């Protein structure tokens, strides 16, 4: 009788613990895959730039993403779309992204003769609600942007289609861009600023730092929250691993930028990415570790040095502008 | 027959888990048509309510098994059930922190 009671007690304890664990993990998973969208406050017009609102369908699942097409401005003032850069923002922000001054960076690229296609990834900014997946699903958005540049109805038709396309991403945008560029050879040059090598590793470190309902989340819930994300929402956060595919970008030029004092995506991530990216003999990888800089703050901290380096990289990788151009 | 009866809690546990996952997948497929904002709440609700329902059904099955069968075979199956029930939690704890 005593043994039976002990077993019954074991069952009750095991059931309660598992039930509670699964319940809390499910709630954390729901928080992981959703973020309240941040509204767009400023547009490129606030920087004195011409632009057009565009709708970019994502590849495969055709989500209508909201974005801007900003023609590049040549030194003589003419507009061009000859060399176009797809700009990809980070997680839980939008194409304006005031936290890392993305709109200002976008404006600098345009002022240096590079047209820009900047858009809100799924579930963020003005784009439709969708689960967030740390780049695994969002790479379809970047691939959709490439399709849009190749075959979509572009604004400023007088500028023609881009001759050559590059990409610049920040944080999750950088990781997403790396995943997309590995699959899409149209992206001829990549600037990756503050990308992670592996999303699951990052989340497992970050989840315990977050608080829900006023209390910290114990780290033991992190792995199960990732699993629950897959079971409940079909979001495979384990699959967002740019480190596995970055080698496929070779021989296209790749510039890796990372803050030396990044405490969100530790510098070991860029070291892993660099090692993987330089594995092919034909790889053309350069790395810039920005001193005294935290996560995704390189442009904010270095300003013109950042612009000079990035524009110089794109000039070398994409060649000079060849368009006849259009008066501004 | 005795073996089947003793193993009932294990079968019930596996069946209930499979039903709950299938139910959640169906809820996701249906609610996704109304957009992700609806989907994320419906799926969580179905899952959490399902967990409670599964717990209630399972508790009832265990209680009945404990009352009607006191063989040692039944006891071993109960222990196996407890291990199975706790295994998701144990697996997660074992792999934390991840390498």
């Amino acid at each position: 009788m005593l043994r039976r009671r002990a077993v019954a007690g074991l069952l009750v304890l095991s059931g309660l613990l598992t039930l509670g664990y699964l319940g809390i993990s499910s709630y954390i998973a729901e928080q992981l895959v959703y973020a309240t969208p941040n509204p767009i406050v400023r547009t490129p017009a606030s920087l004195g730039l011409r632009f057009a609102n565009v709708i970019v369908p994502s590849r495969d699942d055709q989500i209508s993403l909201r974005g801007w097409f900003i023609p590049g401005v040549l030194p003589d003032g003419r507009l061009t779309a000859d060399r176009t850069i797809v700009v990809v923002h980070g997680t839980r922000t939008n194409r304006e992204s005031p936290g890392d001054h993305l709109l200002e960076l976008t404006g600098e690229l345009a002022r240096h003769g590079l047209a820009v296609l900047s858009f809100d990834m799924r579930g963020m900014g003005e784009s439709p609600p969708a689960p967030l997946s740390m780049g695994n699903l969002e790479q379809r958005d970047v691939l959709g942007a490439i399709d849009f540049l190749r075959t979509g109805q572009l604004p400023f038709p007088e500028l023609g289609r881009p001759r050559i396309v590059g990409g610049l991403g920040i944080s999750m945008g950088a990781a997403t861009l790396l995943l997309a560029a590995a699959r899409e050879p149209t992206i001829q040059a990549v600037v990756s600023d503050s990308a992670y090598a592996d999303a699951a590793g990052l989340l497992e470190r970050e989840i315990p730092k977050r608080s829900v309902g006023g209390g910290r989340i114990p780290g033991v819930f992190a792995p199960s929250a990732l699993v629950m994300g897959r079971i409940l929402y079909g979001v495979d956060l384990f699959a967002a691993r740019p480190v596995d595919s970055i080698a496929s970008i070779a021989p296209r030029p790749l510039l890796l930028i990372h803050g030396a004092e990044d405490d969100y995506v530790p510098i070991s991530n860029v070291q892993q990415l660099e090692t993987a990216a330089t594995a092919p003999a034909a790889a053309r990888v350069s790395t810039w570790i920005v001193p005294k800089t935290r996560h995704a703050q390189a442009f904010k901290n270095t300003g013109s040095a950042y612009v000079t380096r990035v524009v110089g990289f794109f000039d070398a990788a994409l060649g000079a502008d060849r368009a006849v151009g259009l008066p501004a | 027959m005795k073996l089947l009866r003793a193993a009932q809690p294990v079968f019930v546990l596996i069946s209930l888990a499979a039903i709950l996952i299938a139910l959640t997948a169906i809820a996701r497929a249906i609610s996704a048509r109304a957009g992700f904002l609806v989907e994320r709440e419906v799926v969580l609700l179905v899952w959490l309510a399902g967990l409670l329902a599964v717990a209630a059904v399972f508790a009832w099955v265990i209680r009945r098994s404990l009352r009607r069968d006191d063989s040692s075979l039944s006891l071993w199956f109960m222990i196996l059930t407890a291990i199975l029930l706790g295994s998701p939690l144990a697996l997660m704890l074992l792999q934390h922190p991840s390498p």
Side-chain angles (χ1 to χ4, degrees), chain B residues 2-15 58 61-62 64-65 68 77 81:
Chain B
K2 202 176 173 185
L3 182 77
L4 277 178
R5 184 180 287 181
Q8 200 183 42
V10 181
F11 292 137
V12 168
L13 179 66
I14 294 169
S15 309
F58 184 67
V61 170
I62 291 294
R64 207 180 57 159
S65 296
R68 78 177 177 196
F77 270 109
T81 310

Side-chain angles (χ1 to χ4, degrees), chain A residues 16-25 220-221 224, chain B residues 88-89 92-93:
Chain A
L16 282 176
L17 283 176
T18 301
L19 187 76
Y21 185 67
L22 288 177
I24 294 170
S25 303
V220 292
F221 288 102
S224 60
Chain B
L89 176 60
M92 292 294 179
L93 293 178

Side-chain angles (χ1 to χ4, degrees), chain A:
Chain A
M1 190 62 194
L2 194 67
R3 274 198 312 175
R4 296 193 73 77
R5 283 205 172 158
V7 171
L10 185 69
L11 270 165
V12 169
L13 184 71
S14 175
L16 282 176
L17 283 176
T18 301
L19 187 76
Y21 185 67
L22 288 177
I24 294 170
S25 303
S26 310
Y27 178 71
I28 298 169
E30 191 256 3
Q31 299 289 305
L32 275 182
V33 301
Y34 176 75
T36 307
N38 298 320
I40 302 279
V41 179
R42 294 164 62 217
T43 71
S46 67
L47 303 173
L49 291 164
R50 279 185 70 184
F51 76 102
N53 291 310
V54 291
I55 293 179
V56 178
S58 63
R59 190 182 285 182
D60 299 332
D61 47 12
Q62 306 294 311
I63 294 175
S64 298
L65 310 165
R66 267 54 175 186
W68 296 317
F69 186 84
I70 312 163
V73 183
L74 295 170
D76 60 6
R78 286 176 300 130
L79 300 181
T80 179
D82 185 56
R83 302 175 300 163
T84 298
I85 308 301
V86 175
V87 171
V88 193
H89 63 77
T91 190
R92 294 165 193 258
T93 179
N94 56 36
R95 62 193 190 268
E96 181 195 358
S97 194
D100 48 32
H101 289 195
L102 187 62
L103 178 60
E104 285 75 9
L105 173 58
T106 300
E108 287 295 337
L109 295 177
R111 284 198 201 96
H112 284 81
L114 296 158
V116 172
L117 176 60
S118 179
F119 61 93
D120 293 334
M121 284 190 281
R122 61 186 61 205
M124 291 177 266
E126 293 176 340
S127 289
L132 311 181
S133 69
M134 297 299 281
N136 188 34
L137 295 172
E138 291 84 352
Q139 61 182 302
R140 297 176 184 174
D141 303 348
V142 178
L143 296 170
I146 300 300
D147 296 341
F148 177 76
L149 290 173
R150 277 199 305 218
T151 58
Q153 199 167 12
L154 292 178
F156 307 102
E158 59 279 20
L159 297 178
R161 288 204 182 276
R163 175 182 56 84
I164 194 160
V165 176
L168 181 148
I170 295 191
S171 189
M172 189 198 96
T176 306
L177 180 63
L178 291 174
L179 292 167
R183 290 174 57 188
E184 179 52 72
T186 304
I187 305 172
Q188 284 294 311
V190 177
V191 175
S192 162
D193 181 344
S194 309
Y196 43 80
D198 160 32
L202 169 73
L203 290 171
E204 287 188 2
R205 281 191 307 276
E206 279 305 305
I207 288 172
K209 295 181 192 168
R210 302 289 166 92
S211 61
V212 171
R216 293 266 177 208
I217 301 167
V220 292
F221 288 102
S224 60
L226 300 184
V227 172
M228 291 313 298
R230 190 189 286 180
I231 292 174
L232 297 183
Y233 299 105
V235 172
D236 189 357
L237 293 159
F238 294 99
R241 285 178 53 84
V243 69
D244 290 343
S245 56
I246 195 169
S248 305
I249 294 175
R252 292 166 284 160
L254 168 65
L255 171 59
L256 298 169
I257 301 174
H258 214 92
E261 291 173 14
D262 191 331
D263 53 359
Y264 180 68
V265 178
I267 200 162
S268 57
N269 281 263
V270 76
Q271 290 157 351
Q272 286 177 55
L273 288 171
E274 186 183 27
T275 303
T278 50
R284 292 155 68 193
V285 182
S286 42
T287 305
W288 179 28
I289 304 297
V290 188
K292 295 177 188 169
T293 297
R294 299 182 75 159
H295 184 65
Q297 300 295 300
F299 171 64
K300 203 170 163 182
N301 285 1
T302 62
S304 59
Y306 188 101
V307 174
T308 303
R309 199 176 278 248
V310 167
V311 170
F313 169 81
F314 280 130
D315 282 343
L318 307 178
D321 188 279
R322 295 185 201 161
V324 178
L326 181 81

